[in-house]
């Protein structure tokens, strides 16, 4: 045997040894090896990002994407490579955009003066307002704060300045306390505003029957059961609502949870509890689904994401799992940011083909679509083909809590093996009673769903006529795409300050890069005067900021 043959033979023996097999099958080792081998490309990408950041700082181009590690297309079956963002065009005059002018008005006089001066190279370029520079760069980099490590776990908190600076500039859009919310109108800091930022789709939070049910439940049961469903926290009221929800959806059994978020955390982590389990999720699924999957991953399960609402991508992903693995496909019925209805017929066909199981989160579909407001599966007449349907009380059911319907044995397993269900206090009596009353009203007053559809159809038609980009919305959630963090926040502020119109700004990292929107949502109790006022405001602000 030649020297070459002997070396090849020894290499084969070494490669098949138990030690080497353990090393190459270790995820940490392989990630490290991949990182080392790809070091050259990583350094090149880092240089390019640094150059782009410097260009943004000097010339005021569009905000950079969030950390590439959080790229929504990374590791997604069926995804196409992302295209590079194009520079933001200047807005005439001194080259200052409307956003820069608006923020500059909040900046110190010295900063405002600097904006209109010559650029750093004195060749006619400009340096954006100091206030905008600071806020924009922090908005772009805030996702990396979570990766800060060290001896003090509070260090990242002390370095988080974006919210404080936005508050100081008067452009912080989140956690604004309402004085009260009466449905289509609310009061904010003593001022009446038109509410287009609520998920109170059927307007039942103020319905006399719903309010009375909550009051009676407090009088009869008190304010809380002070325990989990496992021990002292279950009551007949829970069981009664579970039976009604199951009958309403045509399923064998129901299960009531303390929150809608808990439904997904508990269900996914209980069912995907070992290394032979795969969570197959739409990349645009709700955060509660992602958190449920993270718990399942801690037990060894895998996560695979497929291209948004794409049955072909799902088919490809399911084709690659091992024969010894079982998959749970999980999708939103109506996607909460886009208002888009999932392609459930295509998904069901693929799930059946691969003998997987299907969970549909109908938080934004219940009361909105389907006969009698029964949601996505009913909308497509696929109720018998969806294994599990879950949702929340906090939207059409005008309360706080969550629900799940499906086979009795499956729900029985979940309630015995989901730690986040077993060890959480049960839904409070007034919350359960209010949700049950809302479910009854939903069926007794079908005009509410009809009026809701009339309202959101009118707004979708008129907003498109004005020239706004709305995506593929078909429901009460209508996103207005702005595609820039800072501009989204400034438009939100103008709508609220100048027109008393309350909408929700969705910016990164809550949405993927270039998917920033003003999210609007509609109710059955909105009157035409509310909608027409909103359209007038959107037209003026949209033109002011160059969106239309």
């Amino acid at each position: 045997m030649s020297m070459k043959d002997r070396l090849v033979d020894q290499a084969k023996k070494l490669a098949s040894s138990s030690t080497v097999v353990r090393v190459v099958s270790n995820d940490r080792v392989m990630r490290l090896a991949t990182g080392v081998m790809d070091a050259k490309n990583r350094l090149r990408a880092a240089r390019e990002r640094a150059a782009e950041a410097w260009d943004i700082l000097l010339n005021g181009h569009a905000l950079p994407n969030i950390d590439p590690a959080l790229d929504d297309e990374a590791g997604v079956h069926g995804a196409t490579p992302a295209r590079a963002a194009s520079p933001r065009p200047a807005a005439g005059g001194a080259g200052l955009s409307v956003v820069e002018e608006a923020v500059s008005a909040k900046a110190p006089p010295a900063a405002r003066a600097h904006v209109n001066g010559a650029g750093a190279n004195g060749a006619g370029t400009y340096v954006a307002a100091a206030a905008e520079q600071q806020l924009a760069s922090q908005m772009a980099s805030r996702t990396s704060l979570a990766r800060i490590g060290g001896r003090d776990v509070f260090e990242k908190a002390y370095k988080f300045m974006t919210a404080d600076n936005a508050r100081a500039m008067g452009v912080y859009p989140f956690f604004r306390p309402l004085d009260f919310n009466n449905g289509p109108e609310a009061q904010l800091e003593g001022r009446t505003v038109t509410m287009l930022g609520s998920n109170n789709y059927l307007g039942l939070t103020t319905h006399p029957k719903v309010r009375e049910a909550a009051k009676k439940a407090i009088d009869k049961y008190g304010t809380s059961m002070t325990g989990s469903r496992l021990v002292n926290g279950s009551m007949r009221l829970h069981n009664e609502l579970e039976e009604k929800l199951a009958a309403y959806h045509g399923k064998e059994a129901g299960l009531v949870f303390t929150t809608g978020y808990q439904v997904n955390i508990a269900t996914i982590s209980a069912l995907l509890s070992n290394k032979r389990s795969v969570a197959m999720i739409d990349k645009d699924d709700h955060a509660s689904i992602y958190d449920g999957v993270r718990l399942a991953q801690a037990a060894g399960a895998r996560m695979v994401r497929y291209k948004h609402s794409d049955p072909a991508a799902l088919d490809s992903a399911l084709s690659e799992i091992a024969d010894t693995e079982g998959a749970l496909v999980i999708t939103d019925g109506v996607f909460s940011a886009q208002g888009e209805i999932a392609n459930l017929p295509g998904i069901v066909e693929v799930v059946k083909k691969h003998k997987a199981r299907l969970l549909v989160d109908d938080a934004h579909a219940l009361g909105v679509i389907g006969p009698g407001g029964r949601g996505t599966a009913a909308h497509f007449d696929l109720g018998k083909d969806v294994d599990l349907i879950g949702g929340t009380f906090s939207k059409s059911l005008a309360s706080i809590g969550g629900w799940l319907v499906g086979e009795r044995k499956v729900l029985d397993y979940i309630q015995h093996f989901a730690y986040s269900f077993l060890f959480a206090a049960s839904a409070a009596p007034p919350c359960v009673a209010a949700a049950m009353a809302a479910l009854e009203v939903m069926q007794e007053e079908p005009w509410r769903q009809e009026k809701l559809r009339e309202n959101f159809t009118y707004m979708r038609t008129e907003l498109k006529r004005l020239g706004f980009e709305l995506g593929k919305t078909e429901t009460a959630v209508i996103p207005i795409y702005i595609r820039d963090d800072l501009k989204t926040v400034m438009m939100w502020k103008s709508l609220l300050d100048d027109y008393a119109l309350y909408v929700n700004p969705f910016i990164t990292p809550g949405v993927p890069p270039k998917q920033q929107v003003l999210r609007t949502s509609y109710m059955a109790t909105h009157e035409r005067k509310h909608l027409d006022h909103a359209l007038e405001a959107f037209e003026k602000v949209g033109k002011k900021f160059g969106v239309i």
Side-chain angles (χ1 to χ4, degrees):
M1 181 182 292
S2 68
M3 177 65 72
K4 180 180 178 182
D5 291 337
R6 283 198 297 271
L7 288 173
V8 169
D9 185 57
Q10 289 175 359
K12 287 180 178 179
K13 290 179 180 179
L14 178 62
S16 61
S17 69
S18 59
T19 302
V20 171
V21 169
R22 281 197 302 272
V23 170
V24 299
S25 62
N26 186 296
D27 287 344
R28 293 180 181 177
V29 173
M30 293 309 296
R31 282 198 297 269
L32 176 61
T34 301
V36 170
M37 288 186 289
D38 196 40
K40 183 178 179 180
N41 291 332
R42 288 170 180 263
L43 287 171
R44 183 186 300 114
R47 285 197 300 271
E48 291 172 354
R49 288 196 298 272
E52 180 186 6
W54 180 248
D55 186 54
I56 290 164
L57 183 65
L58 291 179
N59 300 314
H61 288 178
L63 293 176
N65 286 351
I66 59 173
D67 191 319
L70 299 178
D71 187 342
D72 71 305
E73 298 292 359
V76 177
H77 269 265
T80 53
R83 288 178 293 182
S86 57
R88 180 182 64 197
L96 211 61
S97 71
V98 175
V99 172
E100 290 160 346
E101 290 171 352
V103 178
S104 179
K106 285 281 184 180
R112 293 200 297 270
H114 184 60
V115 171
N116 294 315
N121 58 10
T125 60
Y126 71 90
V127 178
E132 184 194 3
Q133 282 185 350
Q134 185 178 34
L135 182 61
S137 62
Q138 287 176 347
M139 290 173 78
S141 65
R142 66 194 184 281
T143 52
S144 63
L145 282 173
R147 289 182 168 80
I148 293 177
R151 294 291 296 173
D152 187 358
V153 296
F154 286 3
E155 182 184 359
K156 61 179 72 70
Y158 300 137
K159 290 185 176 180
F160 174 55
M161 297 302 297
T162 309
D164 284 341
N165 288 334
R167 291 186 188 104
M169 294 169 62
V171 294
Y172 183 67
F174 308 118
F175 301 102
R176 300 289 292 268
L178 297 172
D179 302 325
F180 66 84
N181 186 354
N182 214 20
E185 294 182 351
Q187 191 172 85
L188 176 66
E189 298 171 355
R191 182 187 184 202
T192 299
V193 297
T194 300
M195 175 55 70
L196 296 190
S198 171
N199 298 318
N200 185 17
Y201 297 127
L202 299 179
L204 296 180
T205 57
T206 56
H207 193 285
K209 181 173 179 176
V210 176
R211 283 181 163 179
E212 188 61 26
K215 292 175 184 177
K216 286 183 177 179
I218 290 176
D219 291 340
K220 183 174 181 179
Y221 301 105
T223 57
S224 171
M225 296 304 292
T226 68
S228 70
R229 294 289 303 272
L230 178 67
V231 284
N232 67 297
S234 289
M235 56 183 177
R236 294 189 184 277
L237 203 60
H238 288 110
N239 298 134
E240 185 181 352
L241 179 54
E242 288 167 347
E243 291 169 3
K244 289 185 175 182
L245 284 166
Y248 177 69
H249 286 283
K251 294 296 184 181
E252 186 180 6
L255 193 58
V256 164
F257 294 75
T258 312
T259 70
Y261 208 98
Q262 183 195 34
V263 172
N264 286 328
I265 290 177
T267 302
I268 296 168
S269 62
L271 293 176
L272 305 179
S273 56
N274 56 59
K275 293 181 179 180
R276 294 184 300 280
S277 304
V278 181
M280 196 73 61
I281 68 175
D282 187 296
K283 78 174 186 66
D284 286 357
D285 275 348
H286 190 263
S288 59
I289 292 173
Y290 275 91
D291 274 355
V293 172
R294 288 187 185 101
L295 278 179
Q297 286 176 309
R302 291 197 298 121
M303 176 180 75
V304 177
R305 300 189 302 165
Y306 62 90
K307 186 178 178 182
H308 173 57
S309 206
D310 187 334
L314 174 61
D315 187 26
S316 173
L318 284 170
S319 297
E320 294 182 9
I321 69 171
D323 292 339
T324 55
E325 293 180 311
L328 176 65
V329 177
I330 313 161
T331 182
D332 287 5
V334 169
F335 290 87
S336 60
Q338 301 102 316
E340 181 183 352
I341 302 173
N343 183 356
L344 200 58
I347 292 170
V348 165
E349 183 180 351
V350 171
V351 167
K352 285 185 173 181
K353 172 184 174 181
H354 293 277
K355 295 181 172 57
R357 295 292 185 176
L358 177 60
L359 165 62
V360 174
D361 181 342
D362 254 359
H364 293 270
L366 183 73
V368 178
I369 62 173
R374 286 175 174 80
T376 313
H379 175 74
F380 291 110
D381 193 23
L382 292 171
K384 294 180 180 179
D385 299 298
V386 177
D387 298 296
L388 294 168
I389 305 172
T392 178
F393 295 168
S394 63
K395 295 168 179 60
S396 291
L397 293 183
S399 185
I400 288 290
W403 56 273
L404 183 70
V405 294
E407 291 183 58
R408 185 194 69 80
K409 286 295 291 181
V410 177
L411 269 57
D412 192 39
Y413 177 88
I414 291 169
Q415 74 175 357
H416 283 92
F417 285 86
Y419 285 4
S420 52
F421 178 83
L422 283 169
F423 302 110
S426 65
C431 296
V432 177
M436 186 149 46
L439 182 64
E440 293 169 0
V441 172
M442 190 190 307
Q443 298 168 80
E444 295 165 356
E445 301 180 6
W447 67 264
R448 290 180 179 271
Q449 189 184 355
E450 295 167 8
K451 182 62 176 177
L452 173 63
R453 177 172 293 278
E454 177 187 316
N455 283 345
F456 70 68
T457 300
Y458 174 72
M459 288 301 293
R460 184 177 64 222
T461 301
E462 291 302 304
L463 286 168
K464 282 184 177 179
R465 181 185 62 79
L466 289 174
F468 286 105
E469 181 188 356
L470 308 181
K472 299 179 180 179
T473 178
E474 305 171 73
T475 64
V477 174
I478 300 181
I480 299 175
Y481 283 86
I482 311 301
R483 302 194 184 282
D484 178 275
D485 278 331
L486 198 59
K487 186 180 288 188
T488 301
V489 172
M490 296 311 298
M491 288 184 67
W492 159 83
K493 179 175 172 56
S494 181
L495 289 166
L496 184 60
D497 290 353
D498 301 333
Y499 300 96
L501 186 64
Y502 191 109
V503 300
N504 293 315
F506 278 23
I507 60 176
T508 57
V511 295
K514 299 302 174 184
Q515 297 297 311
Q516 297 89 337
V517 300
L518 291 173
R519 181 188 185 273
T520 69
S521 49
Y522 300 89
M523 310 178 207
T525 48
H526 274 130
E527 299 175 17
R528 186 56 61 91
K529 66 178 182 181
H530 299 123
L531 305 182
D532 287 340
H533 166 68
L535 289 169
E536 179 185 2
F538 284 130
E539 181 176 16
K540 291 179 178 178
V541 174
K543 289 179 178 178
K544 174 183 176 181
F545 285 88
V547 174
I548 56 173

